[in-house]
Amino acid sequence: MNPFGIYAGSAHYVGFSAVSEQFNMSYTTIVSLALLAAAGSAQLLRAPIALSHAPVALSHAPVAQPVAHAVEDYDPHPQYSYSYQIQDALTGDQKEQHESRDGDVVQGSYSLVEPDGSVRTVEYTADPVNGFNAVVHKGAAVAHAPVAHAPVAVAHPAHQVVHL
């Protein structure tokens, strides 16, 4: 039997038998070289090994010092006033807001139409003495102008008539 488990005695397998013998020689050579390498490395392991470490230089990054920044423009008595209003006929959205500030005192209001059609209005103030205060009012439903809707494209299947 050869290593492949095939009987090499008949004339039919003679060529294969020669390949099998060549394989056996190669296998033997490889195993011999591996054993020789293992024996050599065993000798190396018995030799004393000198270990040394290179000196390590430690240094720290310089500590960042605080940098004086230019002072931003500061308004000790800020004042502003703004307002906006939205009336979108396409979506039916209606809302508005107004706000003004004079120093530390802010006053404003906003309103919007709730889904049930009622109007919610919030009036608010904020100052250093009283903090933020809001009063909410809910008004009766308002009559809406009809909401314009974009036309919807509808696809219909094509019918094919076959005459025989």
Side-chain angles (χ1 to χ4, degrees):
M1 285 286 232
N2 61 28
F4 296 102
I6 300 173
Y7 182 73
S10 70
H12 182 68
Y13 294 107
V14 170
F16 189 77
S17 177
V19 171
S20 173
E21 287 175 19
Q22 186 178 7
F23 174 79
N24 280 339
M25 286 180 56
S26 297
Y27 181 76
T28 305
T29 304
I30 292 172
V31 170
S32 298
L33 288 174
L35 290 173
L36 185 61
S41 65
Q43 289 297 328
L44 287 176
L45 290 177
R46 289 190 195 127
I49 298 174
L51 293 178
S52 66
H53 298 285
V56 177
L58 294 177
S59 66
H60 299 284
V63 177
Q65 299 297 323
V67 178
H69 293 286
V71 177
E72 298 289 325
D73 290 337
Y74 174 72
D75 185 358
H77 192 83
Q79 295 178 330
Y80 65 81
S81 181
Y82 74 90
S83 65
Y84 69 87
Q85 183 177 17
I86 297 172
Q87 291 186 352
D88 189 350
L90 184 62
T91 63
D93 191 16
Q94 295 180 8
K95 56 185 149 196
E96 62 182 277
Q97 181 175 3
H98 308 280
E99 183 174 292
S100 62
R101 178 176 182 176
D102 186 13
D104 290 336
V105 178
V106 177
Q107 295 178 346
S109 68
Y110 66 88
S111 65
L112 59 103
V113 177
E114 298 276 6
D116 66 357
S118 63
V119 177
R120 177 176 44 170
T121 303
V122 179
E123 297 173 341
Y124 58 90
T125 59
D127 61 56
V129 176
N130 300 309
F132 179 81
N133 291 291
V135 178
V136 179
H137 305 282
K138 189 161 186 167
V142 294
H144 289 291
V147 176
H149 294 284
V152 178
V154 179
H156 296 285
H159 298 286
Q160 186 176 16
V161 178
V162 178
H163 297 284
L164 298 177

